[in-house]
């Protein structure tokens, strides 16, 4: 019988996960299907329960439900507990296993695909939703000199810092929440936009002065055109990257959890970049 998976979120129409998992399944000869499931904002539990009851094998969870998914899981992996967020569910008998592959996906894209070493760098994580919760621990484990987390609602950034402290902190690295007002006086080597502002073509409140010479600006959002955040960063001389590589890398890690096999990410990312280039509006 074909094993069924889905990405569950709100919105999900833009998600490239079905194409990615179809490519992984083709390469590794796995019999599975993968679809998009839109969950009403107030009905996450009901939607996931119905998906599980339909004899599905698992799901990816996307915005804004990653913190709710953590609560929904009956068993959580260490990396999910590190940030208190879940992006991957595996249904195994009576158990609902909750994992988080966003952090490893982000770090693999930045370090391996983009060739940018995080160790010893000053890192700013902008946003404190499910995605930021999921990646903060992995960023800390990558050994930056500083990990600062900022958000328009500062209390949520402070909650991530507290969660990191509870799960062991980081190796010789300073990490703290930073209020938006402190940003104009700060410089960073790596600035990661983990807000959903780009989904509505909005710009999080990051001043141009934050970008140091040779810095990398990374937007977790991906699409046909550069986001306002990436345009701002490029105009200030920073190197830029969107979140397509992270999407493919985190998907490979979810696939490995579900299927026990690690698919190749390089050809899938190249295929998506090609499609992105073809569809890009010309002016
Ligand atoms: P959540 O809804 O959980 O969190 C949203 C975050 O964005 C909050 O910190 C919120 O701030 C902030 N925010 C929303 N609008 C604005 C705005 N206009 N200005 C400033 N801050 C804003 O979403 P997720 O954390 O799950 O996802 C965040 C983004 O990351 C999405 O774009 C998602 O698509 C992307 N993503 C990409 C992945 C990839 O593989 N490439 C993987 C995971 C996520 P506040 O707390 O104040 O409300």
């Amino acid at each position: 019988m074909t094993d069924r998976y889905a990405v569950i979120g709100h919105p999900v129409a833009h998600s490239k996960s079905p194409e990615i998992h179809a490519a992984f399944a083709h390469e590794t000869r796995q019999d599975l299907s993968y679809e998009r499931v839109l969950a009403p904002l107030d009905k996450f539990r009901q939607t996931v329960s119905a998906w599980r009851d339909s004899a599905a094998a698992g799901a990816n969870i996307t915005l804004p439900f990653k913190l709710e998914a953590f609560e929904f899981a009956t068993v959580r992996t260490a990396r999910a507990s590190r940030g208190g967020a879940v992006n991957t569910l595996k249904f195994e008998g009576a158990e609902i296993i909750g994992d988080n592959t966003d952090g490893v996906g982000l770090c693999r894209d930045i370090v391996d695909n983009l060739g940018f070493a995080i160790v010893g760098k000053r890192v700013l994580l902008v946003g404190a939703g499910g995605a930021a919760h999921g990646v903060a621990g992995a960023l800390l484990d990558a050994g930056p000199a500083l990990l600062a987390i900022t958000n328009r609602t500062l209390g949520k950034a402070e909650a991530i810092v507290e969660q990191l402290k509870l799960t062991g902190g980081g190796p010789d690295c300073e990490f703290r929440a930073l209020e938006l007002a402190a940003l104009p006086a700060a410089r960073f080597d790596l600035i990661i936009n983990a807000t959903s502002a780009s989904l509505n073509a909005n710009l999080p409140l990051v001043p141009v002065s934050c970008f140091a010479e040779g810095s990398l600006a990374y937007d977790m959002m991906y699409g046909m055109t550069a986001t306002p955040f990436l345009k701002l960063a490029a105009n200030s001389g920073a190197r830029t990257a969107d979140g397509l590589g992270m999407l493919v890398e985190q998907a490979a890690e979810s696939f490995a959890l579900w299927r026990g096999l690690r698919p190749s990410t390089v050809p899938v990312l190249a295929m998506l970049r090609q499609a992105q280039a073809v569809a890009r509006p010309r002016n």
Side-chain angles (χ1 to χ4, degrees):
M1 220 173 83
T2 302
D3 287 334
R4 296 165 57 239
Y5 300 91
V7 55
I8 300 176
H10 188 119
V12 280
H14 68 289
S15 176
K16 300 253 176 269
S17 293
E19 289 154 73
I20 294 170
H21 283 281
F24 289 164
H26 181 73
E27 181 211 334
T28 57
R29 297 170 188 268
Q30 294 288 295
D31 184 15
L32 62 86
S33 69
Y34 191 106
E35 55 198 88
R36 297 178 184 86
V37 173
L38 180 71
L41 287 173
D42 60 346
K43 292 199 169 47
F44 172 72
R45 276 182 171 265
Q46 293 94 318
T47 305
V48 188
S49 296
W51 177 248
R52 181 172 175 237
D53 292 346
S54 72
N60 282 132
I61 306 301
T62 188
L63 85 165
F65 299 124
K66 291 179 181 182
L67 304 185
E68 279 185 74
F70 182 80
E71 299 302 328
F72 186 78
T74 57
V75 180
R76 292 134 188 161
T77 62
R79 58 189 179 183
S81 297
R82 188 103 159 99
V86 154
N87 80 330
T88 308
L89 295 174
K90 182 179 182 183
F91 306 138
E92 210 166 70
E95 301 295 3
I96 301 167
I97 300 166
D99 192 9
N100 199 307
T101 66
D102 279 339
V104 68
L106 174 71
C107 290
R108 274 197 194 131
D109 191 39
I110 291 174
V111 177
D112 299 342
N113 297 343
L114 299 170
F116 187 95
I118 297 173
V119 66
K121 299 288 186 350
R122 294 171 61 81
V123 179
L124 177 65
L125 181 60
V126 188
H133 273 263
V135 302
L139 283 171
L140 207 50
D141 294 341
L146 167 71
L147 174 62
I149 307 173
T150 192
N151 192 44
R152 65 180 179 185
T153 314
L154 186 64
K156 292 189 191 171
E158 289 168 342
I160 296 181
V161 169
E162 290 310 311
Q163 179 81 16
L164 289 174
K165 283 183 189 159
L166 282 176
T167 53
D172 286 340
C173 149
E174 188 190 345
F175 60 101
R176 58 186 148 92
L178 197 65
E179 54 185 345
L180 289 170
L183 291 182
R187 301 280 177 282
F188 298 93
D189 305 301
L190 172 60
I191 303 179
I192 300 164
N193 181 15
T195 74
S196 52
S198 300
L199 271 178
N200 301 311
N202 290 324
L203 186 67
L205 293 170
V206 180
V208 172
S209 55
C210 276
F211 301 98
E213 202 184 322
S215 60
L216 172 65
Y218 191 102
D219 198 327
M220 287 195 189
M221 178 70 186
Y222 52 88
M224 294 310 159
T225 53
T227 63
F229 169 76
L230 291 185
K231 283 182 188 157
L232 177 84
N235 287 340
S236 68
R239 185 181 166 195
T240 60
D242 69 10
L244 199 58
M246 171 184 177
L247 184 77
V248 174
E249 296 295 343
Q250 62 80 28
E253 196 71 10
S254 296
F255 192 93
L257 176 81
W258 291 328
R259 313 301 301 178
L261 289 165
R262 168 152 275 286
S264 321
T265 52
V266 172
V268 178
L269 183 53
M271 174 190 80
L272 293 174
R273 287 275 178 233
Q274 172 78 15
Q276 201 180 37
V278 169
R280 187 164 291 142
R282 315 236 175 262
N283 44 17

